[in-house]
Amino acid sequence: MAVILGIESSCDDTAAAVLSNGKLLANVVAGQEIHKAWGGVIPELASRAHQENIIPVVAEAIKRAGISNNDIDAIAFTRGPGLLGSLLVGTSFAKGFAHALNKPLIEVNHMQAHILAHFIEDETPRAKPEFPFVCLTVSGGHTQLVLINDPYTFEVLGETQDDAAGEAFDKTAKILGLPYPGGPLIDKHAASGNPERFRFPQANVPDYSFSFSGLKTSVLYFVRDETAKNPDFVKENINDICASVQHSIILHLLKKLRAVISDRNIKCIALAGGVSANSGLRKAITSLGEELQIQVCIPPFAYCTDNAAMIAMSGEFLYRKQQFAPLNTAPLARYPL
Ligand code: KG4
Ligand code: ZN
């Protein structure tokens, strides 16, 4: 029986969670409104906000879990990948807290944690992915197809050659004049739009690679040309534009996922990362699973975008193997799976 405190600070969310033997006791996330005004995350502002938030967020998680500091068996933190300044805040706090409590430290890879979020147990029972499974991880910084043989073995089969899927959503939103992060807003507009109204070209990249930078450029030119003819074009067609761009992103993701499933005879697929909150993508993957008669695992919304429950879950697996980190550990902005 282990009680793990998880700490996440890789980008613009300060988060802490407590897990007891894989069961969630508390999950606290403080977002950072400050970036909205700038149309994207400003690293230095993110670090400062993490510094303000980290102590109250951890204290709140421990309080909500109904435990005391001494009940914690280990402290798991995001070592990377992410923004170095942001990672430094969580890492330094975790090191200080572990030292003060005389408890072991566990370093967690954020991208592994997004995938292992499928193993968190909470009040809503759901099926866990069966090994081996393939996960489509789609976030603001990554787009990867990963083969997971067990909770410790991850093989990246393919990834994006340029922008991540989340960036494709966020950059499109910016072109349309929507605030950051644009993904959820595109999703909302797309719900009442026609996905077949406008066509955007699909990137032609080999194997299981992805590419989204061409899509962003074609949206940019399309909006520029249409707005020259009608200045209200975006306002009048926002739902159809969002639905069409979203459709194009989903088509590209699903094409590669289909190829992996068939080439490797995969029987279980999972979705992870912030973009897995997208309702169109969730629907498309569910239909794909039904069509191919394979298991599909879609994370609950709370574990799609950045959170610390997934860091604690990753920490729980590493705790079982007693894989602890030294107190002189340092964050890594780049940290391969
Ligand atoms: O995993 P995440 O919280 O942070 C990273 O590790 O990057 O992912 C954030 C990304 C952003 O690009 C955001 O726009 C996107 O996830 N996102 C969505 C939706 N919710 C979040 N994209 C499309 N539809 C959504 N509903
Ligand atoms: Zn993330």
Side-chain angles (χ1 to χ4, degrees), residues 110 114 139 306 310:
H110 181 90
H114 267 300
S139 72
D306 289 346
M310 67 184 198

Side-chain angles (χ1 to χ4, degrees), residues 10-11 13 110 114 138-141 166-167 169-170 180-184 187 273-275 277-279 304-306:
S10 66
C11 189
D13 292 302
H110 181 90
H114 267 300
V138 272
S139 72
E167 271 178 293
F169 276 103
D170 295 338
Y180 178 87
D187 192 356
V275 181
N278 184 267
S279 48
C304 290
T305 43
D306 289 346

Side-chain angles (χ1 to χ4, degrees), residues 140-220:
H142 293 79
T143 301
Q144 298 177 323
L145 272 170
V146 185
L147 177 66
I148 301 100
N149 288 314
D150 61 53
Y152 308 94
T153 317
F154 300 79
E155 185 190 344
V156 180
L157 302 175
E159 56 194 330
T160 183
Q161 295 185 342
D162 40 60
D163 290 352
E167 271 178 293
F169 276 103
D170 295 338
K171 288 179 177 174
T172 298
K174 201 168 182 179
I175 294 168
L176 299 176
L178 299 170
Y180 178 87
L185 295 166
I186 297 214
D187 192 356
K188 213 167 132 203
H189 284 293
S192 15
N194 173 5
E196 312 277 348
R197 170 95 186 277
F198 306 111
R199 295 268 158 156
F200 297 101
Q202 285 287 316
N204 192 8
V205 280
D207 307 320
Y208 309 130
S209 304
F210 301 93
S211 168
F212 291 104
S213 67
L215 174 66
K216 167 198 66 193
T217 311
S218 73
V219 173
L220 182 70

